[in-house]
C-alpha cells in the first residue's frame, strides 16, 4: 500500500512539476523528467541534476519537499515503534529465562567465616 501511494505521489507531482517548469526550464523536457525529479526529491536523494527555475516550480518544490518529509516520517515512526516493542518483548523473555536459571542457584549474602 505504501509503495502504491508513493508511486501515485511521484506520478502526480512529476506531471505538476513538468506543467510548471516545462516551458521555463530547459532541463525538463518531458513528464518523465518531472517524475524523476519527484522520485529523487521524495526519496531525499537530491542529485541536483534537475531543479526548479520558475517561481511556481520553486513554490511547488518547497511544498513537495515538506510533504515528502511527512510521508517518510509517519511510516518510519510506526515501523521503529513496532520494532522497539518486539525488541522489548524479546529482551523481557530473555531476562525471564536467565532469571529462572539464576533464581534456582542460591546466592550467598555473607562471606563464610
Amino acid at each position: 500500500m505504501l509503495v502504491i501511494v508513493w508511486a501515485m505521489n511521484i506520478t502526480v507531482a512529476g506531471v505538476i512539476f513538468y506543467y510548471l517548469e516545462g516551458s521555463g526550464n530547459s532541463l525538463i523536457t518531458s513528464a518523465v523528467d518531472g517524475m524523476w525529479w519527484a522520485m529523487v526529491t521524495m526519496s531525499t536523494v537530491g542529485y541536483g541534476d534537475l531543479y526548479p527555475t520558475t517561481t511556481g516550480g520553486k513554490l511547488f518544490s518547497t511544498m513537495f519537499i515538506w510533504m515528502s518529509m511527512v510521508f517518510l516520517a509517519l511510516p518510519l515512526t510506526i515501523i521503529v515503534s513496532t520494532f522497539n516493542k518486539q525488541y522489548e518483548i524479546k529482551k523481557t523473555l530473555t531476562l525471564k529465562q536467565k532469571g529462572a536459571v539464576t533464581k534456582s542457584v542460591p546466592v550467598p549474602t555473607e562471606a563464610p567465616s
Side-chain angles (χ1 to χ4, degrees), residues 9-40:
N9 282 338
I10 287 173
T11 304
V12 170
V15 171
I16 292 171
F17 188 72
Y18 172 67
Y19 176 76
L20 293 172
E21 288 287 313
S23 60
N25 190 340
S26 62
L27 299 172
I28 311 298
T29 58
S30 67
V32 175
D33 288 338
M35 286 185 255
W36 171 254
W37 167 86
M39 184 175 62
V40 168

PDB file of all heavy atoms in Angstrom, residues 9-40:
ATOM      1  N   ASN A   9       2.062   9.490  -5.776  1.00  0.00           N
ATOM      2  CA  ASN A   9       2.604  10.815  -5.457  1.00  0.00           C
ATOM      3  C   ASN A   9       3.667  11.226  -6.466  1.00  0.00           C
ATOM      4  O   ASN A   9       3.710  12.380  -6.902  1.00  0.00           O
ATOM      5  CB  ASN A   9       3.198  10.836  -4.049  1.00  0.00           C
ATOM      6  CG  ASN A   9       2.151  10.944  -2.977  1.00  0.00           C
ATOM      7  OD1 ASN A   9       1.043  11.397  -3.221  1.00  0.00           O
ATOM      8  ND2 ASN A   9       2.497  10.518  -1.785  1.00  0.00           N
ATOM      9  N   ILE A  10       4.536  10.312  -6.822  1.00  0.00           N
ATOM     10  CA  ILE A  10       5.599  10.616  -7.787  1.00  0.00           C
ATOM     11  C   ILE A  10       4.999  10.960  -9.143  1.00  0.00           C
ATOM     12  O   ILE A  10       5.415  11.929  -9.787  1.00  0.00           O
ATOM     13  CB  ILE A  10       6.581   9.439  -7.895  1.00  0.00           C
ATOM     14  CG1 ILE A  10       7.437   9.389  -6.638  1.00  0.00           C
ATOM     15  CG2 ILE A  10       7.454   9.549  -9.135  1.00  0.00           C
ATOM     16  CD1 ILE A  10       8.328   8.183  -6.542  1.00  0.00           C
ATOM     17  N   THR A  11       4.014  10.208  -9.570  1.00  0.00           N
ATOM     18  CA  THR A  11       3.394  10.464 -10.870  1.00  0.00           C
ATOM     19  C   THR A  11       2.700  11.813 -10.896  1.00  0.00           C
ATOM     20  O   THR A  11       2.923  12.627 -11.807  1.00  0.00           O
ATOM     21  CB  THR A  11       2.390   9.343 -11.214  1.00  0.00           C
ATOM     22  OG1 THR A  11       3.072   8.087 -11.163  1.00  0.00           O
ATOM     23  CG2 THR A  11       1.788   9.549 -12.581  1.00  0.00           C
ATOM     24  N   VAL A  12       1.870  12.072  -9.909  1.00  0.00           N
ATOM     25  CA  VAL A  12       1.127  13.337  -9.869  1.00  0.00           C
ATOM     26  C   VAL A  12       2.085  14.521  -9.716  1.00  0.00           C
ATOM     27  O   VAL A  12       1.990  15.513 -10.439  1.00  0.00           O
ATOM     28  CB  VAL A  12       0.074  13.315  -8.736  1.00  0.00           C
ATOM     29  CG1 VAL A  12      -0.540  14.689  -8.529  1.00  0.00           C
ATOM     30  CG2 VAL A  12      -0.999  12.284  -9.040  1.00  0.00           C
ATOM     31  N   ALA A  13       3.034  14.423  -8.792  1.00  0.00           N
ATOM     32  CA  ALA A  13       3.978  15.524  -8.574  1.00  0.00           C
ATOM     33  C   ALA A  13       4.854  15.737  -9.806  1.00  0.00           C
ATOM     34  O   ALA A  13       5.176  16.882 -10.154  1.00  0.00           O
ATOM     35  CB  ALA A  13       4.840  15.245  -7.351  1.00  0.00           C
ATOM     36  N   GLY A  14       5.243  14.652 -10.470  1.00  0.00           N
ATOM     37  CA  GLY A  14       6.067  14.780 -11.669  1.00  0.00           C
ATOM     38  C   GLY A  14       5.347  15.505 -12.783  1.00  0.00           C
ATOM     39  O   GLY A  14       5.926  16.364 -13.464  1.00  0.00           O
ATOM     40  N   VAL A  15       4.075  15.183 -12.984  1.00  0.00           N
ATOM     41  CA  VAL A  15       3.289  15.859 -14.029  1.00  0.00           C
ATOM     42  C   VAL A  15       3.074  17.331 -13.673  1.00  0.00           C
ATOM     43  O   VAL A  15       3.201  18.216 -14.535  1.00  0.00           O
ATOM     44  CB  VAL A  15       1.949  15.113 -14.260  1.00  0.00           C
ATOM     45  CG1 VAL A  15       1.027  15.911 -15.158  1.00  0.00           C
ATOM     46  CG2 VAL A  15       2.212  13.732 -14.839  1.00  0.00           C
ATOM     47  N   ILE A  16       2.770  17.612 -12.409  1.00  0.00           N
ATOM     48  CA  ILE A  16       2.606  19.013 -11.985  1.00  0.00           C
ATOM     49  C   ILE A  16       3.912  19.773 -12.161  1.00  0.00           C
ATOM     50  O   ILE A  16       3.931  20.908 -12.656  1.00  0.00           O
ATOM     51  CB  ILE A  16       2.111  19.085 -10.519  1.00  0.00           C
ATOM     52  CG1 ILE A  16       0.688  18.557 -10.422  1.00  0.00           C
ATOM     53  CG2 ILE A  16       2.189  20.515  -9.994  1.00  0.00           C
ATOM     54  CD1 ILE A  16       0.183  18.384  -9.004  1.00  0.00           C
ATOM     55  N   PHE A  17       5.028  19.157 -11.776  1.00  0.00           N
ATOM     56  CA  PHE A  17       6.335  19.808 -11.922  1.00  0.00           C
ATOM     57  C   PHE A  17       6.633  20.085 -13.395  1.00  0.00           C
ATOM     58  O   PHE A  17       7.117  21.159 -13.741  1.00  0.00           O
ATOM     59  CB  PHE A  17       7.423  18.932 -11.301  1.00  0.00           C
ATOM     60  CG  PHE A  17       8.765  19.590 -11.233  1.00  0.00           C
ATOM     61  CD1 PHE A  17       9.008  20.623 -10.339  1.00  0.00           C
ATOM     62  CD2 PHE A  17       9.794  19.176 -12.057  1.00  0.00           C
ATOM     63  CE1 PHE A  17      10.254  21.226 -10.269  1.00  0.00           C
ATOM     64  CE2 PHE A  17      11.044  19.768 -11.996  1.00  0.00           C
ATOM     65  CZ  PHE A  17      11.267  20.799 -11.099  1.00  0.00           C
ATOM     66  N   TYR A  18       6.321  19.131 -14.263  1.00  0.00           N
ATOM     67  CA  TYR A  18       6.527  19.340 -15.698  1.00  0.00           C
ATOM     68  C   TYR A  18       5.644  20.470 -16.209  1.00  0.00           C
ATOM     69  O   TYR A  18       6.091  21.319 -16.996  1.00  0.00           O
ATOM     70  CB  TYR A  18       6.238  18.063 -16.476  1.00  0.00           C
ATOM     71  CG  TYR A  18       6.240  18.257 -17.966  1.00  0.00           C
ATOM     72  CD1 TYR A  18       7.418  18.572 -18.645  1.00  0.00           C
ATOM     73  CD2 TYR A  18       5.074  18.144 -18.706  1.00  0.00           C
ATOM     74  CE1 TYR A  18       7.429  18.762 -20.010  1.00  0.00           C
ATOM     75  CE2 TYR A  18       5.075  18.325 -20.076  1.00  0.00           C
ATOM     76  CZ  TYR A  18       6.253  18.642 -20.719  1.00  0.00           C
ATOM     77  OH  TYR A  18       6.256  18.834 -22.078  1.00  0.00           O
ATOM     78  N   TYR A  19       4.398  20.513 -15.763  1.00  0.00           N
ATOM     79  CA  TYR A  19       3.485  21.576 -16.175  1.00  0.00           C
ATOM     80  C   TYR A  19       4.002  22.947 -15.734  1.00  0.00           C
ATOM     81  O   TYR A  19       3.940  23.915 -16.485  1.00  0.00           O
ATOM     82  CB  TYR A  19       2.088  21.317 -15.598  1.00  0.00           C
ATOM     83  CG  TYR A  19       1.100  22.404 -15.885  1.00  0.00           C
ATOM     84  CD1 TYR A  19       0.523  22.538 -17.144  1.00  0.00           C
ATOM     85  CD2 TYR A  19       0.745  23.318 -14.897  1.00  0.00           C
ATOM     86  CE1 TYR A  19      -0.379  23.548 -17.410  1.00  0.00           C
ATOM     87  CE2 TYR A  19      -0.161  24.328 -15.155  1.00  0.00           C
ATOM     88  CZ  TYR A  19      -0.719  24.446 -16.408  1.00  0.00           C
ATOM     89  OH  TYR A  19      -1.603  25.458 -16.671  1.00  0.00           O
ATOM     90  N   LEU A  20       4.532  23.029 -14.520  1.00  0.00           N
ATOM     91  CA  LEU A  20       5.024  24.312 -14.002  1.00  0.00           C
ATOM     92  C   LEU A  20       6.381  24.702 -14.584  1.00  0.00           C
ATOM     93  O   LEU A  20       6.672  25.885 -14.759  1.00  0.00           O
ATOM     94  CB  LEU A  20       5.129  24.255 -12.472  1.00  0.00           C
ATOM     95  CG  LEU A  20       3.810  24.150 -11.715  1.00  0.00           C
ATOM     96  CD1 LEU A  20       4.087  23.897 -10.241  1.00  0.00           C
ATOM     97  CD2 LEU A  20       2.979  25.408 -11.903  1.00  0.00           C
ATOM     98  N   GLU A  21       7.235  23.739 -14.864  1.00  0.00           N
ATOM     99  CA  GLU A  21       8.610  24.009 -15.278  1.00  0.00           C
ATOM    100  C   GLU A  21       8.878  23.806 -16.763  1.00  0.00           C
ATOM    101  O   GLU A  21       9.882  24.278 -17.263  1.00  0.00           O
ATOM    102  CB  GLU A  21       9.569  23.108 -14.493  1.00  0.00           C
ATOM    103  CG  GLU A  21       9.725  23.475 -13.052  1.00  0.00           C
ATOM    104  CD  GLU A  21      10.552  24.733 -12.874  1.00  0.00           C
ATOM    105  OE1 GLU A  21      11.615  24.871 -13.481  1.00  0.00           O
ATOM    106  OE2 GLU A  21      10.106  25.585 -12.100  1.00  0.00           O
ATOM    107  N   GLY A  22       8.023  23.081 -17.455  1.00  0.00           N
ATOM    108  CA  GLY A  22       8.292  22.669 -18.829  1.00  0.00           C
ATOM    109  C   GLY A  22       8.684  23.785 -19.775  1.00  0.00           C
ATOM    110  O   GLY A  22       9.626  23.662 -20.554  1.00  0.00           O
ATOM    111  N   SER A  23       7.993  24.914 -19.722  1.00  0.00           N
ATOM    112  CA  SER A  23       8.283  25.997 -20.667  1.00  0.00           C
ATOM    113  C   SER A  23       9.443  26.881 -20.202  1.00  0.00           C
ATOM    114  O   SER A  23      10.123  27.485 -21.029  1.00  0.00           O
ATOM    115  CB  SER A  23       7.032  26.849 -20.881  1.00  0.00           C
ATOM    116  OG  SER A  23       6.623  27.417 -19.652  1.00  0.00           O
ATOM    117  N   GLY A  24       9.689  26.952 -18.916  1.00  0.00           N
ATOM    118  CA  GLY A  24      10.715  27.859 -18.411  1.00  0.00           C
ATOM    119  C   GLY A  24      12.014  27.202 -18.001  1.00  0.00           C
ATOM    120  O   GLY A  24      12.950  27.868 -17.564  1.00  0.00           O
ATOM    121  N   ASN A  25      12.113  25.888 -18.134  1.00  0.00           N
ATOM    122  CA  ASN A  25      13.294  25.168 -17.678  1.00  0.00           C
ATOM    123  C   ASN A  25      13.735  24.213 -18.779  1.00  0.00           C
ATOM    124  O   ASN A  25      13.039  23.259 -19.112  1.00  0.00           O
ATOM    125  CB  ASN A  25      12.971  24.395 -16.393  1.00  0.00           C
ATOM    126  CG  ASN A  25      14.187  23.815 -15.715  1.00  0.00           C
ATOM    127  OD1 ASN A  25      15.229  23.657 -16.336  1.00  0.00           O
ATOM    128  ND2 ASN A  25      14.052  23.492 -14.450  1.00  0.00           N
ATOM    129  N   SER A  26      14.901  24.468 -19.342  1.00  0.00           N
ATOM    130  CA  SER A  26      15.382  23.640 -20.463  1.00  0.00           C
ATOM    131  C   SER A  26      15.783  22.227 -20.014  1.00  0.00           C
ATOM    132  O   SER A  26      15.932  21.345 -20.852  1.00  0.00           O
ATOM    133  CB  SER A  26      16.572  24.324 -21.141  1.00  0.00           C
ATOM    134  OG  SER A  26      17.646  24.462 -20.219  1.00  0.00           O
ATOM    135  N   LEU A  27      15.954  22.012 -18.719  1.00  0.00           N
ATOM    136  CA  LEU A  27      16.321  20.682 -18.215  1.00  0.00           C
ATOM    137  C   LEU A  27      15.134  19.725 -18.191  1.00  0.00           C
ATOM    138  O   LEU A  27      15.311  18.514 -18.240  1.00  0.00           O
ATOM    139  CB  LEU A  27      16.904  20.795 -16.805  1.00  0.00           C
ATOM    140  CG  LEU A  27      18.181  21.621 -16.646  1.00  0.00           C
ATOM    141  CD1 LEU A  27      18.517  21.793 -15.179  1.00  0.00           C
ATOM    142  CD2 LEU A  27      19.322  20.966 -17.394  1.00  0.00           C
ATOM    143  N   ILE A  28      13.925  20.261 -18.095  1.00  0.00           N
ATOM    144  CA  ILE A  28      12.718  19.443 -18.003  1.00  0.00           C
ATOM    145  C   ILE A  28      12.099  19.361 -19.398  1.00  0.00           C
ATOM    146  O   ILE A  28      11.486  20.311 -19.867  1.00  0.00           O
ATOM    147  CB  ILE A  28      11.701  20.053 -17.008  1.00  0.00           C
ATOM    148  CG1 ILE A  28      12.360  20.414 -15.685  1.00  0.00           C
ATOM    149  CG2 ILE A  28      10.523  19.134 -16.807  1.00  0.00           C
ATOM    150  CD1 ILE A  28      12.936  19.260 -14.934  1.00  0.00           C
ATOM    151  N   THR A  29      12.261  18.212 -20.048  1.00  0.00           N
ATOM    152  CA  THR A  29      11.766  18.072 -21.422  1.00  0.00           C
ATOM    153  C   THR A  29      10.534  17.194 -21.534  1.00  0.00           C
ATOM    154  O   THR A  29       9.899  17.175 -22.585  1.00  0.00           O
ATOM    155  CB  THR A  29      12.872  17.483 -22.331  1.00  0.00           C
ATOM    156  OG1 THR A  29      13.270  16.219 -21.796  1.00  0.00           O
ATOM    157  CG2 THR A  29      14.072  18.419 -22.391  1.00  0.00           C
ATOM    158  N   SER A  30      10.188  16.454 -20.479  1.00  0.00           N
ATOM    159  CA  SER A  30       9.002  15.593 -20.528  1.00  0.00           C
ATOM    160  C   SER A  30       8.488  15.360 -19.107  1.00  0.00           C
ATOM    161  O   SER A  30       9.156  15.694 -18.121  1.00  0.00           O
ATOM    162  CB  SER A  30       9.338  14.245 -21.182  1.00  0.00           C
ATOM    163  OG  SER A  30      10.223  13.515 -20.358  1.00  0.00           O
ATOM    164  N   ALA A  31       7.301  14.751 -19.038  1.00  0.00           N
ATOM    165  CA  ALA A  31       6.729  14.420 -17.731  1.00  0.00           C
ATOM    166  C   ALA A  31       7.575  13.372 -17.018  1.00  0.00           C
ATOM    167  O   ALA A  31       7.625  13.334 -15.783  1.00  0.00           O
ATOM    168  CB  ALA A  31       5.298  13.930 -17.893  1.00  0.00           C
ATOM    169  N   VAL A  32       8.296  12.549 -17.779  1.00  0.00           N
ATOM    170  CA  VAL A  32       9.178  11.548 -17.173  1.00  0.00           C
ATOM    171  C   VAL A  32      10.305  12.250 -16.409  1.00  0.00           C
ATOM    172  O   VAL A  32      10.701  11.807 -15.326  1.00  0.00           O
ATOM    173  CB  VAL A  32       9.731  10.583 -18.244  1.00  0.00           C
ATOM    174  CG1 VAL A  32      10.742   9.627 -17.641  1.00  0.00           C
ATOM    175  CG2 VAL A  32       8.598   9.831 -18.910  1.00  0.00           C
ATOM    176  N   ASP A  33      10.815  13.357 -16.967  1.00  0.00           N
ATOM    177  CA  ASP A  33      11.823  14.142 -16.233  1.00  0.00           C
ATOM    178  C   ASP A  33      11.238  14.666 -14.923  1.00  0.00           C
ATOM    179  O   ASP A  33      11.909  14.685 -13.888  1.00  0.00           O
ATOM    180  CB  ASP A  33      12.315  15.319 -17.084  1.00  0.00           C
ATOM    181  CG  ASP A  33      13.196  14.894 -18.230  1.00  0.00           C
ATOM    182  OD1 ASP A  33      13.781  13.791 -18.148  1.00  0.00           O
ATOM    183  OD2 ASP A  33      13.309  15.664 -19.198  1.00  0.00           O
ATOM    184  N   GLY A  34       9.975  15.095 -14.981  1.00  0.00           N
ATOM    185  CA  GLY A  34       9.305  15.556 -13.762  1.00  0.00           C
ATOM    186  C   GLY A  34       9.147  14.447 -12.743  1.00  0.00           C
ATOM    187  O   GLY A  34       9.336  14.658 -11.550  1.00  0.00           O
ATOM    188  N   MET A  35       8.835  13.241 -13.224  1.00  0.00           N
ATOM    189  CA  MET A  35       8.705  12.108 -12.307  1.00  0.00           C
ATOM    190  C   MET A  35      10.059  11.717 -11.719  1.00  0.00           C
ATOM    191  O   MET A  35      10.138  11.329 -10.557  1.00  0.00           O
ATOM    192  CB  MET A  35       8.058  10.921 -13.018  1.00  0.00           C
ATOM    193  CG  MET A  35       6.576  11.107 -13.237  1.00  0.00           C
ATOM    194  SD  MET A  35       5.805   9.659 -13.940  1.00  0.00           S
ATOM    195  CE  MET A  35       5.568  10.198 -15.613  1.00  0.00           C
ATOM    196  N   TRP A  36      11.126  11.835 -12.514  1.00  0.00           N
ATOM    197  CA  TRP A  36      12.467  11.566 -11.997  1.00  0.00           C
ATOM    198  C   TRP A  36      12.792  12.562 -10.886  1.00  0.00           C
ATOM    199  O   TRP A  36      13.291  12.198  -9.828  1.00  0.00           O
ATOM    200  CB  TRP A  36      13.506  11.640 -13.117  1.00  0.00           C
ATOM    201  CG  TRP A  36      14.908  11.597 -12.605  1.00  0.00           C
ATOM    202  CD1 TRP A  36      15.797  12.637 -12.527  1.00  0.00           C
ATOM    203  CD2 TRP A  36      15.601  10.463 -12.066  1.00  0.00           C
ATOM    204  NE1 TRP A  36      16.969  12.222 -11.983  1.00  0.00           N
ATOM    205  CE2 TRP A  36      16.882  10.888 -11.693  1.00  0.00           C
ATOM    206  CE3 TRP A  36      15.243   9.139 -11.868  1.00  0.00           C
ATOM    207  CZ2 TRP A  36      17.817  10.032 -11.134  1.00  0.00           C
ATOM    208  CZ3 TRP A  36      16.182   8.288 -11.305  1.00  0.00           C
ATOM    209  CH2 TRP A  36      17.442   8.742 -10.948  1.00  0.00           C
ATOM    210  N   TRP A  37      12.486  13.838 -11.138  1.00  0.00           N
ATOM    211  CA  TRP A  37      12.724  14.869 -10.125  1.00  0.00           C
ATOM    212  C   TRP A  37      11.929  14.540  -8.853  1.00  0.00           C
ATOM    213  O   TRP A  37      12.465  14.636  -7.747  1.00  0.00           O
ATOM    214  CB  TRP A  37      12.312  16.253 -10.655  1.00  0.00           C
ATOM    215  CG  TRP A  37      12.240  17.269  -9.575  1.00  0.00           C
ATOM    216  CD1 TRP A  37      13.264  18.029  -9.087  1.00  0.00           C
ATOM    217  CD2 TRP A  37      11.079  17.624  -8.814  1.00  0.00           C
ATOM    218  NE1 TRP A  37      12.807  18.820  -8.063  1.00  0.00           N
ATOM    219  CE2 TRP A  37      11.478  18.602  -7.882  1.00  0.00           C
ATOM    220  CE3 TRP A  37       9.758  17.217  -8.832  1.00  0.00           C
ATOM    221  CZ2 TRP A  37      10.582  19.169  -6.986  1.00  0.00           C
ATOM    222  CZ3 TRP A  37       8.874  17.780  -7.927  1.00  0.00           C
ATOM    223  CH2 TRP A  37       9.287  18.742  -7.022  1.00  0.00           C
ATOM    224  N   ALA A  38      10.662  14.141  -9.031  1.00  0.00           N
ATOM    225  CA  ALA A  38       9.817  13.840  -7.872  1.00  0.00           C
ATOM    226  C   ALA A  38      10.361  12.648  -7.090  1.00  0.00           C
ATOM    227  O   ALA A  38      10.392  12.666  -5.857  1.00  0.00           O
ATOM    228  CB  ALA A  38       8.384  13.577  -8.322  1.00  0.00           C
ATOM    229  N   MET A  39      10.808  11.608  -7.798  1.00  0.00           N
ATOM    230  CA  MET A  39      11.337  10.421  -7.116  1.00  0.00           C
ATOM    231  C   MET A  39      12.615  10.763  -6.343  1.00  0.00           C
ATOM    232  O   MET A  39      12.783  10.370  -5.191  1.00  0.00           O
ATOM    233  CB  MET A  39      11.628   9.303  -8.113  1.00  0.00           C
ATOM    234  CG  MET A  39      12.093   8.029  -7.457  1.00  0.00           C
ATOM    235  SD  MET A  39      12.319   6.666  -8.587  1.00  0.00           S
ATOM    236  CE  MET A  39      13.583   7.270  -9.649  1.00  0.00           C
ATOM    237  N   VAL A  40      13.497  11.511  -6.962  1.00  0.00           N
ATOM    238  CA  VAL A  40      14.756  11.880  -6.312  1.00  0.00           C
ATOM    239  C   VAL A  40      14.488  12.806  -5.125  1.00  0.00           C
ATOM    240  O   VAL A  40      15.105  12.677  -4.067  1.00  0.00           O
ATOM    241  CB  VAL A  40      15.711  12.533  -7.343  1.00  0.00           C
ATOM    242  CG1 VAL A  40      16.894  13.179  -6.663  1.00  0.00           C
ATOM    243  CG2 VAL A  40      16.163  11.514  -8.356  1.00  0.00           C
TER     244      VAL A  40
END
